[in-house]
Structures are given as C-alpha cells and as structure tokens.
Amino acid sequence: DAEALKRLTIENHLRQAFERDEFMLHYHPQLELATGRLSGMEALLRWHNWDLGNVPPLEFIPVAEESGAILSIGEWVLRAACKQATEWLGQGLSVQKMAVNVSVKQFMHPDFVHKVREVLVETGLEPGRLQIEIPEKLLVSDPEGAVPVMHALKKIGVLIAIDDFGKGYSRLSRLENMPIDCLKMDRSFVCGIGGGSEYRSLIRSILNLSNGMGLTVIAEGVETNDQMDFLLERQCHQAQGYFFSKPMPSAEAADYLKRLTAQHESD
C-alpha cells in the first residue's frame, strides 16, 4: 500500500512538473580513453519537485513510462539537449556529440522519427552530433519493429547507441544487421573488473567482437584508476564515470568544456 501510494503521489506531481518548470538536464562527459579528449556529452534528466525534493530517475521514470507521460518528457529532453549542444557550439566549445536516452515507448511511437527531424531543424543541430541511446531490452522485445526505426534515423544522419549492453538480453551476433554505431557496456561489467576473471573475459570478448564489427564501445561507470587502466590496455574506445567527472548542470558543464577547450588548444 505504501509503495502504491508513493507511485500515485509521483504520478500526480509529474503532471504539474512542466508547469512548475521542475525538470532540468545534467550533462555527463564521455571521453576517449587513448587521448583523454572529450568525445561527447550525455544528457541526464533530473527532477526537483517543490514538495518531494529531488526525485531519483529510478523512481520517477518507471512511473512516467506507465502513465504515458514519458512521451512528453522525452520530447522535452530531446529538444533541451539539442538546444544546449547548439548553444555550446555557437560559443566555440567542442561538443562532438550529444547523447540522449530514449525509452522503448518513445522510440516505438509512430511519430518519433518525425519529432527527431523536427527538433534538429528547430534547434539547428547537425544530425551527426545527436546520438540516440536505446535500451538493450528493445532488441529482444521488438527487434522487427525497432530496426525500421533505426534505419529511418540513420537516413537522417543520427547516431544510434545500445545502452546498458551486456545485461543478458541479447548477443553481439544479433547486432550484425542492425544500423548501430555504438555499444555502451553496462556498468556491472566495469564494476566486476576487480572481482575476478569472468568479467575481464567478458569485456575482452565484447571489445574484440565490437572492433570486428566496427562499433565504438563506451564503458559506463568507470570509478577507479585500475578500471581505466584495464579498459585502456584492452583498447576500449571511450568511457564515462565518476573517475572522470560527475554529471553537471549546464553552467558547470559549460565551465568544464571551456577548460577542456583551452587545454587542448594549448597542447
């Protein structure tokens, strides 16, 4: 009963979140391991409610998906992230790509590709600078429906990444005929690097097969120097995690980009 009441409370407050301007984006850097250069920013949704305070995404995103609110929320995130990327580029800051997470319900909506095209035109962001990140479970729940959407996005020029890859839903062999650019290795693999040989072997397999397929791999959840060294030795392309930076609000992220830009210009 307490859990049901909590979900109902969150759902009721979600309805007013737009009117109250309670949503915001934080940005998490993605870095090239070999060079340390920024490869992109991932936009992460945050919600601060007047009554509930900071509500964790793991609590409100499932409620938004069940209630259908995820469609309007997802569109807001897409537009806000693209607009921010365009503003940073206009300021001379280096943003190779802006990564945006998309739910299964949003991705499979008949109007999704049109919305992506509309947002790109509206914000002026080049399609090749937008990376749509879709959950791995979509490859199992509806691969026949998902692949045509992927092809439509690729025609626009958008990048596609599979998020949280390796949780056990799919195999790399299933990706061969899918128009994807990137795999985001689930953080559980990275966390397991120091725990034994099993995770290390799995990481090696993912990296070897991905390289053979021409896919970029981003390791999520890197928190220690040992994890970074292992991934670097195995030629993992990119990484993100608290070892490099925490997710930052837009103003702090802009300062971070300015420091990186100045550093690279002086190199």
Side-chain angles (χ1 to χ4, degrees):
D1 290 345
E3 185 65 26
L5 179 59
K6 182 179 180 180
R7 293 177 73 86
L8 181 60
T9 301
I10 290 175
E11 183 177 346
N12 288 336
H13 282 287
L14 269 176
R15 294 195 183 102
Q16 305 174 56
F18 281 115
E19 298 173 9
R20 295 181 172 184
D21 195 26
E22 294 177 342
F23 290 127
M24 68 189 76
L25 292 182
H26 283 198
Y27 300 91
H28 206 191
Q30 299 173 339
L31 302 172
E32 295 179 358
L33 278 175
T35 65
R37 290 181 176 272
L38 184 77
S39 58
M41 284 286 208
E42 180 181 5
L44 300 172
L45 179 63
R46 296 292 183 261
W47 179 30
H48 180 82
N49 178 260
W50 291 359
D51 299 319
L52 303 177
N54 291 320
V55 186
L58 287 176
E59 290 187 9
F60 76 82
I61 292 295
V63 177
E65 289 178 339
E66 290 180 12
S67 67
I70 195 66
L71 296 177
S72 56
I73 292 173
E75 183 179 343
W76 179 87
V77 171
L78 178 65
R79 181 171 282 103
C82 290
K83 181 180 179 182
Q84 181 64 82
T86 302
E87 289 179 1
W88 281 337
L89 288 165
Q91 296 168 13
L93 301 177
S94 177
V95 184
Q96 295 299 319
K97 68 175 183 287
M98 178 63 76
V100 178
N101 294 282
V102 174
S103 73
V104 172
K105 185 173 289 188
Q106 184 184 3
F107 188 82
M108 296 307 297
H109 192 276
D111 203 31
F112 178 65
V113 176
H114 171 73
K115 286 292 183 185
V116 171
R117 186 183 292 108
E118 181 180 83
V119 166
L120 288 170
V121 171
E122 178 185 320
T123 60
L125 185 67
E126 298 173 30
R129 293 189 185 273
L130 173 62
Q131 178 166 289
I132 298 292
E133 300 191 350
I134 59 177
E136 185 194 21
K137 62 184 178 182
L138 179 60
L139 305 184
V140 173
S141 63
D142 190 6
E144 292 79 13
V147 170
V149 181
M150 293 182 191
H151 280 294
L153 290 171
K154 293 304 295 180
K155 285 183 179 179
I156 297 174
V158 172
L159 302 173
I160 299 174
I162 305 301
D163 199 15
D164 299 329
F165 183 82
K167 283 187 172 180
Y169 293 108
S170 59
R171 298 179 180 177
L172 272 168
S173 59
R174 300 185 64 177
L175 306 180
E176 288 183 338
N177 298 319
M178 294 185 179
I180 62 175
D181 303 281
C182 173
L183 293 181
K184 297 194 70 180
M185 193 180 346
D186 186 66
R187 65 181 62 250
S188 62
F189 287 85
V190 176
C191 290
I193 285 175
S197 60
E198 179 183 356
Y199 283 102
R200 292 170 178 257
S201 297
L202 287 170
I203 290 173
R204 290 191 193 99
S205 297
I206 290 175
L207 290 172
N208 289 337
L209 289 170
S210 298
N211 286 332
M213 295 167 63
L215 299 176
T216 298
V217 176
I218 302 177
E220 297 185 272
V222 178
E223 297 183 353
T224 69
N225 192 72
D226 288 343
Q227 292 170 350
M228 186 194 70
D229 287 344
F230 177 84
L231 293 166
L232 187 58
E233 289 171 6
R234 300 312 182 278
Q235 298 183 333
C236 182
H237 310 106
Q238 300 173 21
Q240 66 184 114
Y242 276 66
F243 179 77
F244 308 105
S245 171
K246 62 179 177 58
M248 300 168 281
S250 58
E252 189 177 337
D255 290 339
Y256 174 89
L257 288 171
K258 290 174 184 175
R259 291 195 302 272
L260 275 187
T261 301
Q263 177 184 332
H264 293 153
E265 287 177 350
S266 63
D267 289 345

